[in-house]
Amino acid sequence: MKRFITNGDSDIHLVLARSEEGTKDGRGLSMFIYDKRQGGVNVRHIEHKLGIHGSPTCELTYKNAKAELCGSTRLGLIKYVMALMNGARLGIAAQSVGVEQEAYNEGLAYAKERQQFGDKIINFPAVYDMLSRMKAKLDAGRSLLYETACYVDVYKCLEDIERDRKLTPEEKQELKKYQRLADAFTPLAKGMNSEYANQNAYDAISIHGGSGFIMEYKSQRLFRDARIFSIYEGTTQLQVVAAIRYISNGTMLNNIKDMLAALPAEADAALKARVEKLIPVYEEALANVKALDNQDAHDFLARRLYDMTAELVMSLLIIRDASKAPELFKKSANVYVRMTEEDVYGKSAYIKAFQVEDLANFRAAEAPAEA
């Protein structure tokens, strides 16, 4: 039996199953392909979901289902699923950007129409603060998506070339470089955009007020659909796990410094200087976490390092985009850099004050009271 199978009612399916007798770990799993029309597979149940109603999520049962080996044995999980998952994560990042955009569109349209106390609510600071943050997250998130997709395109292209001929030493180095970048940036793109989709959908409802809670308005559907983005194909917490080694070993710090140095001459000097000022703060936070020399503390603080890393990366990307198209991105660059400052300074202060002993306070909060 398998649960939570997207489009599980389709005819052709890939299935991960144990092929090696006596094994218990991932090395005993292989990938198979089956045709449901040959029998042996039944849709036992279609899940009643909060959102994403356009795609059936199924529980499947298998009984003597005919299947063929896909690829090589033992590589089902450690090679094929991991490759599929990276592609799926990038797809969900794109899906998230689409919902971020639509949530912003809905919130903006409503704010332009709705009047309160004789004025359009788009003129209220509380509302245009919300809208400006929604737009900044959207623009910065899209930049991160496109940058990550670019890295994936380059290394996939080189892999395709390698099937036809031997790569030159320079091409091999380029392949390794872009594969590492794709591996480091994909969990950032998926995690941050899925969270931003949730936040923008939430804010769209807030802008609508009571109307946002009514089923006739689209914002409620966006909110329901967005919730799964930070769960499927790896929760945000798992994206942190996937990204943290590139953060902890300094790879992302070096990437951030390289991105800063690569900003075009026409980039906004003031914004560039503000982000440059944040890098030592981030670097100190990294050092403080390492100095704790405790794995539980590292895991506990990892999300804060992840957020800071992604926000610095996206700040530099949106500054770059604003230098090329100021009419589209200048305002978002200003807003997003301010948001990054707010977060980096706040989270670095949290990390600086953190002690390993503090973990006991969080564990105690979860423990049931003694009778």
Side-chain angles (χ1 to χ4, degrees), residues 128-147:
Y128 61 68
D129 174 40
M130 210 181 301
L131 283 166
S132 67
R133 285 171 174 263
M134 291 169 74
K135 182 66 160 57
K137 290 171 188 174
L138 164 65
D139 289 338
R142 183 183 281 117
S143 292
L144 178 58
L145 167 67
Y146 288 174
E147 189 75 5

Side-chain angles (χ1 to χ4, degrees), residues 19-72:
S19 59
E20 311 306 308
E21 197 172 346
T23 61
K24 293 183 178 179
D25 61 12
R27 288 168 292 186
L29 298 171
S30 300
M31 189 70 82
F32 296 89
I33 190 165
Y34 77 85
D35 186 337
K36 192 170 64 137
R37 291 167 294 190
Q38 293 181 3
V41 181
N42 290 305
V43 177
R44 181 179 175 182
H45 175 66
I46 295 178
E47 303 292 347
H48 301 292
K49 299 178 295 183
L50 178 69
I52 312 290
H53 293 159
S55 165
T57 301
C58 303
E59 182 179 298
L60 304 178
T61 57
Y62 300 77
K63 187 174 182 180
N64 297 324
K66 293 180 181 179
E68 292 183 27
L69 180 67
C70 183
S72 302

